[in-house]
Amino acid sequence: MRLYETNYAKLLPLLPKSDQVGDHCIYCVSEQEYHLTIIESTRYTTVVELLLEAEKSLPDYLIPKMTIRLYHDARVAEVCSAQQTSRLKPRYDYPNMRMHQKDEKHQVNRFLGDWLAYCLRNGISKQSVC
């Protein structure tokens, strides 16, 4: 749970100022643009899409993309889907048909935490801070 709580705390300052569906922020990190877009917003949850704006020549499976759900009442954030995998299970038998790692969901959430920390240290917002 600590990972989900720290991801929530790291993600909050990066979100758009308004939590209206369709609002987005763009962050430049090492000459790459990451887009954070709010795709669903309710009283207790917000769903955000994180996407790397990449060259058109790259295939979809190489472009980082994940959907993150923030639970405001519990103050946690978890990755709901990553790349072409939706509904990540907490544990997988190994080996399995899709060759997921045993702790795939934990690894994806840890990757989110690493990316958020990197973005907070090195990212520059393309929007005004006002």
Side-chain angles (χ1 to χ4, degrees):
M1 285 303 287
R2 183 182 309 165
L3 176 62
Y4 298 118
E5 291 169 351
T6 57
N7 282 352
Y8 181 87
K10 291 175 188 174
L11 189 55
L12 277 183
L14 298 174
L15 291 176
K17 300 298 179 220
S18 165
D19 65 345
Q20 300 298 314
V21 173
D23 286 351
H24 70 280
C25 288
I26 301 171
Y27 291 94
C28 294
V29 183
S30 299
E31 299 179 17
Q32 295 180 324
E33 285 187 0
Y34 286 88
H35 294 242
L36 279 168
T37 306
I38 295 179
I39 56 175
E40 181 183 310
S41 181
T42 66
R43 183 175 180 181
Y44 298 109
T45 64
T46 301
V47 179
V48 179
E49 181 182 69
L50 169 63
L51 172 70
L52 169 66
E53 189 64 36
E55 303 171 19
K56 300 295 183 199
S57 61
L58 284 176
D60 286 344
Y61 64 87
L62 289 178
I63 299 173
K65 178 181 179 181
M66 58 180 65
T67 305
I68 305 137
R69 183 178 303 274
L70 290 89
Y71 298 92
H72 302 297
D73 53 345
R75 302 185 60 80
V76 296
E78 73 167 329
V79 176
C80 298
S81 66
Q83 299 304 90
Q84 287 78 32
T85 305
S86 60
R87 298 185 188 193
L88 292 163
K89 295 180 183 177
R91 302 294 279 160
Y92 287 93
D93 292 330
Y94 194 80
N96 54 63
M97 294 288 288
R98 298 197 183 257
M99 295 307 294
H100 291 295
Q101 296 295 316
K102 286 182 175 184
D103 61 345
E104 186 94 9
K105 185 170 188 166
H106 180 75
Q107 288 183 29
V108 171
N109 280 287
R110 193 169 56 195
F111 170 76
L112 173 64
D114 291 345
W115 180 85
L116 291 171
Y118 182 75
C119 190
L120 286 167
R121 277 194 313 272
N122 304 302
I124 298 172
S125 174
K126 290 185 84 173
Q127 277 82 21
S128 136
V129 291
C130 298

